[in-house]
Amino acid sequence: MLSKVTRQRTWTPLSVVLVFAFALTAAAQHRTALAAFDSSHLVTMQGTIQEVISHPTPGTLLGEHLTVATTTGIHDVHIGPYVAKSAAGKNLHANASVIVVGSPVSLSGKQVFLATQLVVNGQTIPVRNQSGFLIHKAGTRAQHAAPKTAGGAQ
């Protein structure tokens, strides 16, 4: 009988340093984005989703991005990690019409639109609060509505 050889995962000092550096970089990007976010100058744009990007290129904000084509050009719209995983996220796909409300910012020399709200297929999807922080359960308000009770005598 052959014995099973199990691979043990060990954390080398280099891998620990790399994970820590990645986490610091992501945290720094997030802080920079929040500092640039301006809720007093929100912009609304209407366009068509060209692409939903689940794994952004290195150097950009972590989380999901939309590439949105408008009459003024192509825009990188950051929606964070929660919207696409929500029930409303199923409406985010190429060729879908979208209205995006948010704050345009420049991060590392690149223009990014930090979405606060999306409207897709008539459904409003909250993305960020007034301070620019991502809303964890975006698009799931209906799931938290008051429970329905059965009618009749109790």
Side-chain angles (χ1 to χ4, degrees), residues 20 60 94 114 116:
F20 187 67
T60 60
L114 303 178
T116 58

Side-chain angles (χ1 to χ4, degrees), residues 60-79:
T60 60
L61 286 171
L62 295 177
E64 306 259 338
H65 290 245
L66 302 176
T67 302
V68 177
T70 70
T71 56
T72 60
I74 306 296
H75 303 275
D76 176 10
V77 178
H78 181 259
I79 61 171

Side-chain angles (χ1 to χ4, degrees), residues 59-128:
T60 60
L61 286 171
L62 295 177
E64 306 259 338
H65 290 245
L66 302 176
T67 302
V68 177
T70 70
T71 56
T72 60
I74 306 296
H75 303 275
D76 176 10
V77 178
H78 181 259
I79 61 171
Y82 309 119
V83 174
K85 294 175 183 150
S86 71
K90 69 181 180 290
N91 293 322
L92 300 175
H93 56 81
N95 299 318
S97 293
V98 64
I99 298 171
V100 183
V101 179
S103 176
V105 299
S106 179
L107 299 172
S108 302
K110 298 176 185 173
Q111 283 295 115
V112 179
F113 200 85
L114 303 178
T116 58
Q117 175 180 294
L118 304 172
V119 180
V120 181
N121 292 338
Q123 183 176 12
T124 301
I125 307 166
V127 179
R128 284 183 170 76

Side-chain angles (χ1 to χ4, degrees), residues 14-78:
L14 178 60
S15 62
V16 171
V17 168
L18 289 174
V19 167
F20 187 67
F22 178 75
L24 284 177
T25 302
Q29 285 179 335
H30 183 70
R31 279 193 306 276
T32 303
L34 284 176
F37 180 84
D38 185 359
S39 64
S40 66
H41 291 93
L42 296 180
V43 175
T44 300
M45 68 174 163
Q46 185 169 356
T48 303
I49 298 173
Q50 287 192 326
E51 185 178 8
V52 178
I53 302 168
S54 300
H55 303 287
T57 58
T60 60
L61 286 171
L62 295 177
E64 306 259 338
H65 290 245
L66 302 176
T67 302
V68 177
T70 70
T71 56
T72 60
I74 306 296
H75 303 275
D76 176 10
V77 178
H78 181 259

